């Protein structure tokens, strides 16, 4: 469940008597099958004056109920959400939440029309103009929501969309060198991670980015003939000294495995050259595998030999 204090400005507090965490009670079994036995996802937060504090959790609350579309009419879902809000929220926050929900429904309807073809499409316009769709979404959001609601509902989503758009544009720009392209993507990725409000998600994204960079740079340096010391120095920028040591041990293990594979291939080729591809030769090759490799390594060996 989401903590009711999340998303509140520092000068605001919650009323103790308001049931503001929306996932406090299971839903009744009269709901659509997909929602039966579940708890409401999301939150309704108010301040000390019973004013609504809009958070991403409010949008999750709306989306939770809207996920039942197809099982029951939208009008019935709308009635259900409004009843839920009014049951769990005091005024004036309840009416404020209902108003945002109705605007959200109108917004979703407008969004659903964006990707529908026009009666007379312009042949000079791409079928999928990502930049145009992005601008249209922003215009719709500005039409139906104030700035605070837009930030709460679409802030992280917009930042991710901006990052994805930058990646697409950079990859499509033939005038950029590989280094220039990567620099643009790295800058956009840094900006996106910095914009994420969820600290746990931000940490995970940073760790994944470091792993991706580490793997890419390791491969590049190995291909360029870098020494183990140089590779370790690079890795120390991303991971702890203990992890650098483990990775070095893994490198050594992989190098030893690659050497054994090369020796095995030489010896198996000698067997085939001497005896030909006959059952006796295959028996000797299998025996060679069993002598040189563990069962787990033989699985890897099968993959490697099939790729060659």
């Amino acid at each position: 469940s989401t903590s009711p204090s999340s998303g509140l400005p520092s000068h605001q507090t919650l009323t103790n008597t308001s049931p503001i965490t929306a996932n406090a009670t299971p839903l009744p079994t009269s709901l659509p099958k997909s929602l039966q036995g579940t708890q409401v996802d999301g939150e309704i937060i108010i301040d000390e004056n019973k004013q609504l504090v809009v958070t991403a959790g409010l949008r999750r609350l709306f989306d939770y109920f809207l996920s039942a579309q197809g099982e029951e009419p939208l009008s019935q879902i709308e009635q259900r959400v409004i009843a839920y809000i009014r049951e769990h929220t005091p005024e004036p926050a309840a009416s404020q939440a209902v108003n945002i929900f109705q605007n959200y429904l109108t917004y979703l309807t407008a969004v659903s029309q964006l990707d529908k073809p026009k009666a007379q499409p312009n042949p000079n316009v791409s079928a999928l103009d990502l930049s145009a769709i992005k601008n249209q979404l922003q215009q719709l959001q500005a039409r139906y929501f104030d700035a605070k609601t837009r930030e709460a509902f679409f802030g992280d989503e917009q930042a991710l969309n901006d990052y994805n758009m930058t990646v697409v544009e950079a990859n499509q720009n033939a005038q950029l060198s590989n280094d220039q392209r990567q620099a643009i993507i790295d800058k956009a990725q840094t900006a996106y991670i910095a914009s994420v409000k969820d600290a746990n998600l931000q940490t995970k994204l940073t760790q994944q980015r470091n792993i991706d960079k580490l793997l890419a740079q390791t491969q590049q340096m190995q291909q360029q003939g870098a020494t183990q010391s140089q590779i370790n120095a690079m890795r120390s920028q991303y991971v702890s000294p203990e992890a650098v040591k483990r990775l070095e041990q893994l490198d050594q293990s992989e190098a030893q495995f690659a050497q054994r594979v090369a020796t095995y291939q030489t010896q198996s080729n000698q067997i085939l050259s001497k005896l030909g591809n006959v059952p006796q030769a295959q028996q000797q090759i299998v025996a060679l595998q069993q002598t040189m490799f563990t069962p787990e390594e033989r699985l890897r060996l099968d993959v490697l030999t099939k790729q060659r």
Side-chain angles (χ1 to χ4, degrees), residues 264-293 298 301-302 305:
Y264 158 77
Q265 288 180 322
T266 299
Q267 294 182 10
S268 61
N269 287 336
Q270 290 174 348
I271 292 171
L272 291 172
S273 297
K274 181 179 180 180
L275 301 178
N277 191 11
V278 296
Q280 184 182 359
Q282 293 302 324
Q283 290 172 1
Q284 291 186 23
I285 290 173
V286 170
L288 184 65
Q289 289 181 0
Q290 293 173 342
T291 302
M292 297 184 65
F293 303 100
R298 289 203 294 274
L301 184 66
D302 289 341
T305 54

Side-chain angles (χ1 to χ4, degrees), residues 8 15 48 63 65 75 80 108 144 149 213-214 261 283:
L8 280 176
T15 57
E48 69 276 10
D63 288 340
F65 286 102
S75 58
R80 190 187 305 282
L108 292 178
Y144 295 113
T149 303
K213 281 192 167 186
L214 185 150
V261 169
Q283 290 172 1

Side-chain angles (χ1 to χ4, degrees), residues 19-49:
I20 41 188
T21 303
N23 55 0
T25 37
L27 293 172
T29 56
S30 58
L31 289 171
K33 288 184 178 181
S34 63
L35 301 184
Q36 289 178 14
T38 67
Q39 291 186 328
V40 180
D41 181 30
E43 62 191 7
I44 302 174
I45 293 182
I46 62 173
D47 65 14
E48 69 276 10
N49 297 316

Side-chain angles (χ1 to χ4, degrees), residues 152-286:
F153 276 26
F154 310 108
D156 287 346
E157 178 182 288
Q158 185 60 55
L160 179 58
N161 289 342
D162 288 343
Y163 166 66
N164 289 334
M165 180 68 66
T166 299
V167 172
V168 170
E169 291 173 346
N171 286 330
Q172 291 180 346
N173 189 342
Q175 296 180 348
L176 295 174
S177 68
N178 288 336
D179 288 343
Q180 290 172 326
R181 184 175 295 108
Q182 191 58 51
I184 292 172
I185 293 175
D186 286 346
K187 182 178 179 181
Q189 191 176 59
T190 299
Y192 166 61
I193 293 175
S195 74
V196 174
K197 301 177 185 63
D198 186 323
N200 290 331
L201 177 58
Q202 189 178 72
T203 298
K204 289 180 181 178
L205 290 171
T206 301
Q207 291 173 341
Q208 184 59 55
R209 183 191 191 197
N210 287 343
I211 291 172
D212 292 342
K213 281 192 167 186
L214 185 150
L215 293 175
Q217 290 190 32
T218 298
Q219 184 179 30
Q220 183 180 24
M221 292 179 70
Q222 288 174 336
Q223 291 173 346
Q224 294 172 347
T227 65
Q228 188 66 54
S229 297
Q230 291 172 325
I231 293 174
N232 287 349
M234 178 275 295
R235 286 170 169 168
S236 66
Q237 301 174 30
Y238 299 105
V239 295
S240 67
E242 294 79 10
V244 171
K245 187 65 178 176
R246 290 195 298 270
L247 289 170
E248 180 179 0
Q249 293 171 348
L250 180 61
D251 287 344
Q252 294 171 354
S253 175
E254 287 296 300
Q256 292 169 359
F257 177 73
Q259 182 59 50
R260 281 187 288 131
V261 169
T263 301
Y264 158 77
Q265 288 180 322
T266 299
Q267 294 182 10
S268 61
N269 287 336
Q270 290 174 348
I271 292 171
L272 291 172
S273 297
K274 181 179 180 180
L275 301 178
N277 191 11
V278 296
Q280 184 182 359
Q282 293 302 324
Q283 290 172 1
Q284 291 186 23
I285 290 173
V286 170

